[in-house]
Amino acid sequence: MKNVAMNAAQALEAAHPFYPVEAEIVGYLANTSAVPTLLGLFAAGWVVILGTTLVLVRRHNPTLPGREKSTILWFVLTGTIHLFFEGYYAYNHATLSSKQTLFGQLWKEYALSDSRYLTSDPFVLCVESITSAAWGPLSFVVALMITSEHPFRHPLQAMVSLGQLYGTILYYATSMFDHYHKGLTYCRPEAYYFWGYYFFMNFIWVVIPGTLLYSSMTKSAKAFATLDQQKKQQQGNGHIKKSN
């Protein structure tokens, strides 16, 4: 009877709301804050960060077009998420299931749509670590380059956007492969976890980086086309002068 009671207590302790139900979530502790509270604090932080960024950009380069300012805000937002939020996951992945900090509870809420974040999944850990270490800092560099209208802005913007796009597609692909090929589902059955958390929140990093990558590619192509045309005109003028 004693062993049965101990096994029952252990099973109760190991219980968690994540899928698959047999996933081993070591040291799981339920969140102590309600979802609206977590999202409200997260949103309030963004208002402060992006508001401060906009004020600084307007002071440094007041004539910058509105579209460029929006792009700066995007790179500050995505850089902060990569470096601090995803960096928090990469650093604390082994103990994330027991964290009660703001970021820890936000990650546990998101993990209801993808439990790989609470099992130290090799792919998720590697891609999030690379994203945090590389695309996080470089996003801030791109924001600074746009503000100062640096000529190296578009090559770096294209590189960061391509990295984000590639990582997001792989993130989707590995999860879908496990779902259809291995029969593993990491998301709870409620539709809003899949469409709201898993699909929509990540699809943002398909649409915006894809748009910025296309923009940088077209602007770079136009710059090279203009340069080639100028060279041809110079060569043509030089040939005329020699003929005279």
Side-chain angles (χ1 to χ4, degrees):
M1 290 295 292
K2 185 177 180 180
N3 290 336
V4 173
M6 289 179 63
N7 290 336
Q10 290 174 352
L12 183 61
E13 183 181 357
H16 58 73
F18 306 99
Y19 273 61
V21 292
E22 64 273 15
E24 294 184 12
I25 311 295
V26 180
Y28 169 70
L29 293 175
N31 284 350
T32 57
S33 300
V35 175
T37 301
L38 295 173
L39 296 180
L41 290 172
F42 199 56
W46 283 123
V47 170
V48 173
I49 292 171
L50 297 182
T52 302
T53 300
L54 189 58
V55 170
L56 293 175
V57 170
R58 285 174 174 172
R59 287 182 180 177
H60 183 79
N61 193 342
T63 61
L64 202 64
R67 185 170 182 175
E68 295 289 73
K69 291 175 183 175
S70 297
T71 305
I72 290 171
L73 293 179
W74 160 253
F75 276 107
V76 170
L77 179 138
T78 192
T80 304
I81 290 177
H82 292 333
L83 185 59
F84 298 105
F85 189 54
E86 292 172 89
Y88 180 91
Y89 159 76
Y91 185 78
N92 295 286
H93 68 94
T95 58
L96 192 63
S97 60
S98 64
K99 295 293 184 183
Q100 298 293 13
T101 60
L102 174 61
F103 282 1
Q105 292 191 65
L106 283 169
W107 273 120
K108 283 188 285 183
E109 176 64 21
Y110 176 78
L112 293 168
S113 72
D114 189 348
S115 65
R116 292 181 296 174
Y117 281 90
L118 297 184
T119 60
S120 296
D121 178 83
F123 168 77
V124 171
L125 179 57
C126 289
V127 77
E128 292 289 11
S129 298
I130 294 170
T131 299
S132 174
W135 310 139
L138 288 177
S139 292
F140 291 117
V141 175
V142 175
L144 289 172
M145 286 184 170
I146 298 173
T147 304
S148 61
E149 300 183 77
H150 196 284
F152 201 66
R153 168 263 182 102
H154 280 292
L156 190 59
Q157 176 175 295
M159 183 178 72
V160 173
S161 298
L162 179 60
Q164 292 174 325
L165 184 61
Y166 181 66
T168 306
I169 291 174
L170 281 180
Y171 173 73
Y172 280 140
T174 52
S175 178
M176 292 298 98
F177 178 84
D178 284 348
H179 176 74
Y180 290 106
H181 185 70
K182 297 182 179 180
L184 291 174
T185 299
Y186 302 113
C187 181
R188 284 189 58 83
E190 293 87 352
Y192 58 86
Y193 286 121
F194 179 83
W195 293 109
Y197 288 10
Y198 174 79
F199 179 79
F200 175 74
M201 287 187 179
N202 290 288
F203 196 65
I204 295 171
W205 273 267
V206 172
V207 175
I208 298 180
T211 302
L212 293 175
L213 175 61
Y214 176 78
S215 174
S216 291
M217 290 176 63
T218 54
K219 289 184 184 301
S220 297
K222 288 180 181 179
F224 278 111
T226 301
L227 181 61
D228 289 341
Q229 186 177 8
Q230 291 176 346
K231 287 183 178 179
K232 290 178 181 179
Q233 289 177 348
Q234 290 175 354
Q235 291 174 353
N237 293 335
H239 181 72
I240 293 174
K241 290 180 180 179
K242 288 181 179 180
S243 299
N244 294 337

